[in-house]
Amino acid sequence: MRFPLSLTRSMTRYLLQRRWAGDQRFPLVLMLEPLHACNLRCTGCGRIREYADSVSRRLTVEQCLDAANQCPAPVVSVCGGEPLLYQPLPELISELVDRGRHIYLCTNGTLLERRLPELPRTRRLFINVHLDGMEHTHDSACGRSGVFAAAIEGIRAAKAQGRFVCTNTTIYRETDMDEIAVLFEYLRSLGVDGMMISPAYSYASVARQPTTNDAAIFLDREEIIAKFSAARKRLSGYRLFASPLYLDFLCGKRELSCAAWANPTFNIRGWRGPCYLIADQHYPTYADLLEQTSWSAYGPGADPRCDDCMTHCGFEPAAVLSAGRRWRDVLALAAWQLT
């Protein structure tokens, strides 16, 4: 993951401390879902299906902070659902910042302009707006017109305040990579600080739905490699938040083992295991998640559900953690961070 210098220093110091302590598994990013309610119903979204019976529930700020105390990840990704629907969000962000955490606020952007004045003004807050294409494509995926325009207005307002803003784009089977390049050029003109990108794959909560064709939009491993290999050179001119090691993996030039344990997820049911995309069990504590999950039973080649997965939640941390094994990788990451 590529971060501003302050976060890069924090992450480097944290990684060295965990390595020196001899820790084998430790978190990099806490995926914190204080709610699963959303004002959109996007194609391919699993959360609105998985948690349909508890969508009205919310975590308290105290429950969120207890999760952060259990899991010492330097980055907390506040997601959902749509986190801007969570009324005590400003308090939660302030409390996490006071605890030395860096915050990624993952939002669809439709409520960003309205709630922006409430959000703490801190360099530790990074606003991450999800956009899957230009206006027609994105609005179609979201099932509503005007979503793209509202998100763009939110981005404009945030940049006018000097906020750090990045975007997150999911690549589907029908995604036109030329359109993604056009999108990134447009976002660069708005002053967006960087773009995250990750392939979609058909995780269980979508694939098992008998009344939806959503599974047809997802990519298998061969399709992911073909799409990213063809587009990598064109997208290399933009400030991507994907490390060169992870991009090598997406292009089929490197093997990585899933490190889902580095991006644990906490929500209204507890600690989701084994990962952000597959929920075989919810554990009461973070320690239980680490100790009771049979990690070797998951990942490509171990669990058929994982065979086509190349998403950033499991493999981007694997890329970061594997970088120290070869000097060439260390130098590649250092050059990427500095440039």
Side-chain angles (χ1 to χ4, degrees):
M1 292 158 285
R2 187 183 197 182
F3 302 115
L5 186 58
S6 62
L7 181 48
T8 300
R9 289 171 175 167
S10 296
M11 183 67 77
T12 301
R13 183 167 57 250
Y14 173 78
L15 285 169
L16 290 174
Q17 289 171 345
R18 302 312 292 254
R19 293 292 195 193
W20 287 335
D23 296 335
Q24 297 300 308
R25 294 193 176 99
F26 51 88
L28 296 180
V29 179
L30 165 59
M31 310 293 288
L32 180 61
E33 300 175 334
L35 80 173
H36 288 123
C38 188
N39 56 345
L40 299 177
R41 192 176 181 84
C42 299
T43 300
C45 178
R47 289 301 192 265
I48 55 178
R49 297 180 175 92
E50 288 178 284
Y51 297 98
D53 60 343
S54 55
V55 73
S56 62
R57 294 174 56 191
R58 307 285 191 273
L59 291 173
T60 65
V61 171
E62 289 72 23
Q63 288 174 311
C64 292
L65 296 178
D66 179 63
N69 289 337
Q70 293 181 46
C71 176
V75 179
V76 178
S77 177
V78 182
C79 42
E82 172 48 56
L84 290 175
L85 291 173
Y86 185 64
Q87 289 307 308
L89 179 65
E91 178 189 356
L92 174 60
I93 293 173
S94 294
E95 292 287 348
L96 290 170
V97 167
D98 287 346
R99 286 161 172 76
R101 309 302 175 90
H102 298 268
I103 315 301
Y104 259 79
L105 176 61
C106 299
T107 173
N108 60 41
T110 56
L111 302 174
L112 180 56
E113 186 176 18
R114 183 196 310 172
R115 295 214 66 185
L116 195 60
E118 305 172 47
L119 302 182
R121 298 293 293 267
T122 169
R123 297 180 66 182
R124 288 179 176 267
L125 173 61
F126 313 124
I127 298 170
N128 185 5
V129 180
H130 194 97
L131 292 170
D132 283 342
M134 294 298 288
E135 186 167 17
H136 175 74
T137 299
H138 187 65
D139 286 358
S140 296
C142 295
R144 184 196 302 176
S145 62
V147 175
F148 182 87
I152 294 301
E153 288 307 306
I155 290 173
R156 290 184 191 276
K159 290 310 301 177
Q161 290 188 6
R163 306 273 192 166
F164 187 99
V165 179
C166 59
T167 59
N168 185 27
T169 299
T170 304
I171 304 302
Y172 295 94
R173 178 170 287 157
E174 298 302 321
T175 298
D176 181 345
M177 298 303 280
D178 289 334
E179 180 181 351
I180 300 304
V182 172
L183 172 66
F184 285 178
E185 185 63 34
Y186 177 57
L187 294 172
R188 181 160 62 182
S189 74
L190 298 177
V192 168
D193 297 281
M195 301 87 173
M196 302 172 71
I197 190 169
S198 184
Y201 100 108
S202 184
Y203 51 99
S205 62
V206 173
R208 65 170 173 254
Q209 298 296 318
T211 60
T212 182
N213 292 321
D214 286 356
I217 70 176
F218 294 99
L219 297 154
D220 62 31
R221 182 170 287 255
E222 290 183 0
E223 291 171 322
I224 292 170
I225 292 172
K227 242 184 204 306
F228 279 84
S229 295
R232 184 172 185 179
K233 185 176 181 180
R234 181 164 187 188
L235 298 181
S236 63
Y238 301 99
R239 192 178 182 191
L240 299 181
F241 277 20
S243 73
L245 278 62
Y246 178 54
L247 289 175
D248 282 349
F249 171 68
L250 292 178
C251 294
K253 297 180 179 180
R254 166 187 302 271
E255 287 300 319
L256 292 172
S257 298
C258 179
W261 42 266
N263 276 23
T265 300
F266 181 76
N267 60 38
I268 54 177
R269 292 186 185 171
W271 293 93
R272 178 184 171 99
C275 69
Y276 185 74
L277 295 174
I278 298 176
D280 285 345
Q281 189 170 343
H282 290 81
Y283 297 89
T285 68
Y286 173 64
D288 289 337
L289 169 69
L290 279 188
E291 295 167 7
Q292 298 180 26
T293 302
S294 179
W295 298 105
S296 61
Y298 297 98
D303 187 319
R305 295 173 298 176
C306 305
D307 285 346
D308 291 322
C309 180
M310 301 178 77
T311 55
H312 69 275
C313 57
F315 293 100
E316 180 70 275
V320 172
L321 293 168
S322 69
R325 297 172 188 165
R326 295 190 298 180
W327 275 110
R328 183 174 63 185
D329 292 343
V330 173
L331 293 173
L333 278 179
W336 169 65
Q337 290 285 355
L338 291 172
T339 59

